Amino acid sequence: MELDQINTITVLGAGNMGHGIAEVAALAGYDVNLRDINDELVQDGYDQIEWSLNKLAEKEAITQDDADAAIDRVTPIVDLEEAVQDTDFVIEAIVERMDIKKDVWGEVDEYAPDHAVFATNTSSLSISEIATATDRADQFCGMHFFNPPVRMDLVEVISGAETSDETMDVTEDLAEAMGKTPVRVRKDVPGFIVNRILVPLMNEAAWLVHDGEATIEEVDSTTKFDIGLPMGSFELADYVGIDVGHHVLDYMHDELGGKYEPCPLLVEKVEEENLGQKTGKGFYDYEDGDGADIPMDEHSALVKERLLASMANEVSYLIGDDVASADEIDQAVKLGGRFPKGPAKMADEYGLNKLLSALKSAYEETEHTRYEPDEHFESFVGEGFHGGAGAEEDDSVDFDTLELHYPGDMVGHIELNRPQQMNSISLELIEELDAAIDIMEEDDEVRAILMTGAGGKAFSAGADFMSIAGGGADPLGAVELSKFGQETFGRLEEIEMPVVAAIDGYCLGGGMELATCADMRLATTRSNFGQPEFDLGLLPGWGGTQRLQRIVGMGRAKEIIFTTDHFDAETMHDFGFVNEVVEPGEFEEKAHELAAKLAGGPPIAMRYTKRAMAKGWDDTDAGLEIESMGFGHVVGTEDVHAGINAFFGDDDPEFEGK
């Protein structure tokens, strides 16, 4: 089956995952049959979709017309035969019980057309075993969305033992058509990729506390503020539901043995029904206490090493057994787990030799099989996960938070590449931006810089406060961070070539301060601007108090900063901040076109013009002096001759910077 043959999608199960998947499919333009076992359940799912779509329209993420059209594409159905008889693709998102899933798929197989592709949204159960309930195992795969499906980008596409390449290909294509990022899981293994990393990580955290090696506070402080993950290990367990993690772990234990024995600490919480946020109490108290109040400075070297070693051991297995490559694992966990870096990358940076040694020592000490090194681990120690199996050849500079592209026309493209964090600005991103500017500055083939944000949702939604807080919250450190950001962003003002910030989506806080340093700004109609620092009790710290007023005037700058309001692209165009507003469909073309036009200008004249304008803001006489010197310098250049000849010859000049 090809993607263009899919018109109708049936979603089985109208619960949180089911109605979320149905909403995503409807937004992508597909007709959706939403089915559950009774009218009340299916109507509740339909109502949830309608509520969510209206919320998206209210927040201007979509138009009200788009919301109305999407809900019109969803049909709530109870009768299973009616739900699947004319469908092209079935996604099952029912309760995580193998017997129930197999019963349902047996019926679906009987009623669905022969061409229909089947996919289960299971988070852990065997795809191959579920597929045995049908007579089309070659057309059956896993399609694991993450909660909530409307917001989470990742879809794991999992091959069963008999799944055909055609089925995998069309399922990946469908995920992309839904606006998601598919990552292929080439073998049907318990936990797939993301849960195979996260669930043993949560279990190891629990064992460290159970065995008296650390406190909950030390584990979560280390996880969140030293390793830099978005949540502490116990905080995450409470968030997803301790029973959910325990269920996956229990399945892995049954399938794979004692290595994944659930920690008694987890078992106890499940038995007490203290399951986390949803019950008001888990490892933290959300009813009578302060919730996950995690100290920022109770880091433990032992905890850090054990947790990184736990993840590295699973990465070793996944790569060594050809389940996924290091890059695929990192992409999946960054998208599905909101990690700032992937586990393979973190392990490589820490040192695989140290992590392997930590596993061996812990195994000798405890004799617990969770510390037994994976059989492939030793082979990766020399080159690292990314340098060995699963690594892709790449001659480009190795950045984690940015990507550099060279699209031609003398344009160098810096793309902020943290889409799972809305391209929020971390200390690492600032450091890499500083290095990227060096590369652009030294490249004689680059005569203009284009900056964008990856993911289609944000240029940058502001500072990554969690990663920055991980470096400490002392006043002196904050001052140094502010200065470093000011200086790095300021280099874009000072660099002697034009810089274009092309904005599609959110441009807030530190992201707006970064865009302010560009020479020109282009934005889509759906872009959204603001300086929300006052809402956090902060002030703009990366030059916003100074640079914004130069562009929009002091009155407008105060309005933007003091009110913390959000402003659309047309309003910011009226304020003079945005030079050009374009439709989303023409964004990439128009952004490159503007950067290429500026790159084609006279480099020497550009250099002196930027210098004179920057200097003249504070000192008009100094700016005029540079202007005069620059004018005198360029008069005798080949660029001026080329310009004059082109002018009289009615041609476009070709400036070479000579």
Side-chain angles (χ1 to χ4, degrees):
M1 176 182 281
E2 301 292 330
L3 179 64
D4 59 11
Q5 295 175 283
I6 299 176
N7 298 300
T8 301
I9 295 172
T10 296
V11 178
L12 304 177
N16 286 338
M17 288 303 297
H19 72 64
I21 295 167
E23 181 178 352
V24 168
L27 278 169
Y30 293 98
D31 293 327
V32 180
N33 294 332
L34 179 65
R35 189 264 174 182
D36 216 314
I37 57 175
N38 61 49
D39 288 324
E40 182 180 355
L41 290 174
V42 78
Q43 187 60 46
D44 184 58
Y46 181 86
D47 291 343
Q48 288 295 319
I49 295 172
E50 188 170 29
W51 177 87
S52 175
L53 289 168
N54 286 329
K55 272 292 179 186
L56 290 173
E58 186 181 310
K59 293 178 179 179
E60 299 183 350
I62 60 175
T63 67
Q64 189 61 53
D65 286 345
D66 288 339
D68 294 341
I71 195 63
D72 285 345
R73 296 188 193 104
V74 180
T75 303
I77 299 175
V78 172
D79 184 76
L80 182 61
E81 181 177 1
E82 181 186 353
V84 302
Q85 64 186 358
D86 295 316
T87 198
D88 303 305
F89 202 101
V90 181
I91 304 172
E92 167 264 306
I94 63 173
V95 64
E96 286 283 88
R97 278 184 51 184
M98 181 65 76
D99 56 339
I100 297 176
K101 285 184 185 290
K102 290 174 79 170
D103 285 346
V104 169
W105 277 115
E107 286 189 70
V108 172
D109 191 44
E110 179 183 348
Y111 299 132
D114 291 341
H115 72 273
V117 172
F118 293 170
T120 175
N121 181 60
T122 181
S123 60
S124 59
L125 301 179
S126 169
I127 309 300
S128 305
E129 185 175 347
I130 299 172
T132 61
T134 76
D135 290 327
R136 58 182 97 185
D138 60 322
Q139 292 172 222
F140 197 106
C141 69
M143 193 179 190
H144 180 211
F145 289 78
F146 285 71
N147 195 26
V150 175
R151 287 171 45 200
M152 296 295 281
D153 289 333
L154 178 65
V155 173
E156 290 177 319
V157 179
I158 308 106
S159 177
E162 298 181 45
T163 309
S164 69
D165 289 340
E166 181 185 9
T167 297
M168 293 293 285
D169 290 343
V170 76
T171 305
E172 287 182 340
D173 290 344
L174 178 60
E176 288 182 347
M178 291 179 177
K180 303 303 179 184
T181 301
V183 173
R184 182 172 294 205
V185 185
R186 289 187 283 275
K187 287 187 178 178
D188 179 16
V189 298
F192 312 138
I193 295 175
V194 176
N195 281 335
R196 187 65 178 241
I197 300 293
L198 292 187
V199 173
L201 180 71
M202 287 190 284
N203 197 38
E204 177 60 22
W207 276 111
L208 286 170
V209 173
H210 178 269
D211 291 344
E213 300 278 10
T215 65
I216 288 177
E217 290 76 17
E218 286 172 331
V219 169
D220 274 8
S221 182
T222 303
T223 308
K224 193 168 186 175
F225 299 114
D226 189 4
I227 299 176
L229 302 189
M231 288 185 174
S233 297
F234 292 99
E235 181 185 16
L236 177 62
D238 278 356
Y239 176 76
V240 300
I242 298 169
D243 57 326
V244 175
H246 178 267
H247 171 77
V248 176
L249 196 61
D250 213 28
Y251 177 75
M252 291 173 67
H253 180 240
D254 289 344
E255 293 292 310
L256 302 171
K259 181 177 181 179
Y260 300 100
E261 177 189 358
C263 175
L265 212 57
L266 299 173
V267 176
E268 179 183 314
K269 292 293 181 185
V270 172
E271 290 175 350
E272 293 172 350
E273 296 187 357
N274 290 323
L275 307 178
Q277 289 186 16
K278 62 187 176 185
T279 60
K281 183 180 282 189
F283 292 108
Y284 294 97
D285 190 340
Y286 300 90
E287 289 181 341
D288 302 320
D290 297 324
D293 186 13
I294 301 171
M296 297 176 66
D297 55 357
E298 292 190 25
H299 305 167
S300 162
L302 173 69
V303 169
K304 181 176 184 178
E305 191 163 73
R306 289 278 181 89
L307 295 182
L308 288 175
S310 170
M311 288 193 287
N313 215 21
E314 299 302 334
V315 169
S316 174
Y317 165 72
L318 291 171
I319 299 173
D321 213 45
D322 195 32
V323 177
S325 71
D327 288 330
E328 290 165 338
I329 293 166
D330 280 355
Q331 182 184 37
V333 177
K334 285 196 293 184
L335 292 174
R338 300 289 187 181
F339 278 30
K341 293 182 184 179
K345 183 70 173 177
M346 285 192 285
D348 281 345
E349 289 180 352
Y350 190 86
L352 296 191
N353 56 334
K354 290 190 287 185
L355 296 178
L356 180 58
S357 177
L359 286 171
K360 288 178 176 178
S361 296
Y363 189 36
E364 289 173 10
E365 257 179 61
T366 66
E367 296 184 348
H368 199 293
T369 53
R370 73 182 188 278
Y371 291 127
E372 184 176 4
D374 174 66
E375 61 179 319
H376 307 286
F377 205 137
E378 196 91 46
S379 66
F380 294 120
V381 169
E383 295 183 348
F385 290 134
H386 283 279
E392 296 179 3
E393 293 296 325
D394 190 355
D395 296 328
S396 64
V397 178
D398 185 18
F399 288 128
D400 287 321
T401 66
L402 303 175
E403 284 193 7
L404 303 189
H405 310 283
Y406 299 90
D409 296 322
M410 299 178 290
V411 174
H413 180 188
I414 300 176
E415 182 180 39
L416 311 184
N417 189 34
R418 304 183 78 215
Q420 64 276 15
Q421 285 94 13
M422 301 288 278
N423 300 317
S424 59
I425 298 171
S426 61
L427 177 59
E428 183 182 16
L429 187 147
I430 298 174
E431 291 171 342
E432 293 191 349
L433 178 61
D434 196 42
I437 294 170
D438 285 339
I439 293 169
M440 294 294 178
E441 207 165 21
E442 293 166 7
D443 192 333
D444 293 336
E445 300 299 314
V446 174
R447 285 183 16 196
I449 294 175
L450 172 64
M451 286 194 305
T452 64
K457 294 181 180 177
F459 174 76
S460 170
D464 182 350
F465 288 107
M466 291 314 305
S467 72
I468 290 169
D474 62 288
L476 183 59
V479 170
E480 292 303 314
L481 176 64
S482 176
K483 286 183 176 179
F484 183 40
Q486 290 169 356
E487 290 167 2
T488 302
F489 291 7
R491 292 189 63 196
L492 295 167
E493 284 187 317
E494 296 164 4
I495 196 169
E496 295 181 339
M497 66 177 83
V499 178
V500 174
I503 298 147
D504 183 24
Y506 290 106
C507 182
L508 304 174
M512 185 166 165
E513 290 177 285
L514 176 59
T516 302
C517 294
D519 297 301
M520 295 184 70
R521 285 156 293 278
L522 174 147
T524 61
T525 53
R526 64 187 177 191
S527 296
N528 189 286
F529 299 81
Q531 296 284 171
E533 287 85 353
F534 272 26
D535 283 341
L536 302 173
L538 297 169
L539 72 155
W542 289 329
T545 63
Q546 302 303 304
R547 296 184 178 114
L548 182 59
Q549 62 179 310
R550 298 179 186 178
I551 300 170
V552 302
M554 185 175 290
R556 288 297 189 196
K558 287 181 176 179
E559 178 185 354
I560 292 167
I561 295 171
F562 292 177
T563 66
T564 71
D565 288 343
H566 286 203
F567 301 87
D568 60 31
E570 290 289 354
T571 301
M572 293 303 284
H573 180 268
D574 293 342
F575 287 178
F577 187 80
V578 172
N579 299 90
E580 183 180 358
V581 179
V582 301
E583 292 298 328
E586 56 182 1
F587 171 68
E588 291 184 11
E589 178 187 350
K590 292 291 187 181
H592 177 79
E593 193 177 281
L594 176 57
K597 180 178 182 179
L598 298 182
I604 302 172
M606 176 66 72
R607 179 190 314 155
Y608 280 103
T609 300
K610 286 193 70 169
R611 284 182 189 175
M613 294 177 80
K615 196 69 174 177
W617 180 260
D618 296 317
D619 187 339
T620 302
D621 289 339
L624 290 172
E625 182 66 23
I626 294 173
E627 181 184 287
S628 297
M629 290 175 59
F631 190 82
H633 185 82
V634 300
V635 160
T637 62
E638 292 182 21
D639 279 356
V640 169
H641 292 296
I644 292 171
N645 290 335
F647 178 78
F648 286 107
D650 200 26
D651 296 320
D652 291 328
E654 294 186 11
F655 299 114
E656 297 184 12
K658 298 179 182 178

